[in-house]
Amino acid sequence: VRGGREITFTAAPDAGMKFADWKVDRVTVPEDSLKENPLTLTLEANVQVTAVFAQEPNCQVTFGAEDISGSENTGGSLRASRNGEPFRNGDKGAKGDKIVFTAASDKNYRVKTWMVDGADTRISEDSYTLTVSKDSHEVRVIYELATGIVTFGGNDAAMGEVTARTAKDGQEAEAITSGTAVPSYNRVTFQATPAEGYLVEGWYSSADTCTDETRIKGTKYEQNEYVLDGLNDVTNVYVKFEEIPSYDI
């Protein structure tokens, strides 16, 4: 083509595809112009022009949150993004798009699993990435109450007994046994009852090593009750009983 002339390029996408942009080599073209269709250039040198097409977004993606009983929007919320931009429930994606879902658990809840198109992924992470691969997808995050396993006991059953009761604030406490799973928001009250002639030397997080390093912070000598307001995944509480010291005068 003779130099100095204008030439117009027109991209014609096939069904299910859309025009994305132009790639132009050897000639400087304003960035905004590369998104225009058609594209008009003034030829000043040899040039290579390529039309770039992309899949038309025609795959609907729905998503939501619920707890294990099926109650909508219970336990936390769910948001999604595509290429760093917000992606709304019901928006359409193109095949191959990666949709990133991020769960935000409410207090005392955690992600149990992600359901994708009715199938349990058995993934309990706080995020899930979906690669769009068919005409529609449904993503559900399932929340459950967070729990902690409580183990407790004493160094010698002949020296005394350790019991525990748990309850949510305002509710009647119930006795639990060592190894019980307790909701993380519950309060647990441990009671040490020394046998005759014995007392509580201390409260510890390990049954095997009763040292200053394992002593439960805030507890003290001859303390017969310990109250725990928050649980970790596993909470260990052990009491060391000892004989009441006696001295000759």
Side-chain angles (χ1 to χ4, degrees), residues 232-248:
N232 298 315
D233 287 341
V234 177
T235 298
N236 301 313
V237 176
Y238 294 99
V239 174
K240 180 181 177 182
F241 296 101
E242 68 177 14
E243 190 174 0
I244 296 174
S246 61
Y247 305 97
D248 293 331

Side-chain angles (χ1 to χ4, degrees), residues 60-65 72 78-80 86-92 101 137-140:
Q60 187 175 52
V61 180
T62 57
F63 58 91
E72 288 279 340
L78 180 62
R79 58 184 174 85
F87 188 89
R88 297 168 302 180
N89 181 28
D91 279 356
K92 292 184 177 181
F101 297 90
H137 289 286
E138 182 184 27
V139 176
R140 310 287 296 178

Side-chain angles (χ1 to χ4, degrees), residues 93-134:
K95 289 183 179 179
D97 280 354
K98 293 187 179 299
I99 314 298
V100 179
F101 297 90
T102 303
S105 305
D106 290 341
K107 183 179 179 181
N108 299 316
Y109 281 85
R110 64 188 175 193
V111 173
K112 176 178 174 61
T113 191
W114 295 82
M115 301 292 293
V116 179
D117 299 328
D120 189 346
T121 66
R122 301 186 182 278
I123 294 172
S124 58
E125 304 296 327
D126 287 338
S127 66
Y128 178 81
T129 300
L130 171 75
T131 300
V132 177
S133 60
K134 56 183 185 178

Side-chain angles (χ1 to χ4, degrees), residues 159 161-164 189-195 198-203 219-227 237 239-241:
M159 296 182 182
E161 180 186 22
V162 182
T163 58
T189 301
F190 300 90
Q191 185 69 45
T193 306
Y198 294 88
L199 55 72
V200 172
E201 185 277 336
W203 297 79
T219 59
K220 58 186 180 180
Y221 188 71
E222 289 195 86
Q223 176 179 327
N224 288 354
E225 183 179 273
Y226 171 60
V227 178
V237 176
V239 174
K240 180 181 177 182
F241 296 101

Side-chain angles (χ1 to χ4, degrees), residues 5 13 86 151 214:
R5 290 186 176 181
T151 59
T214 61

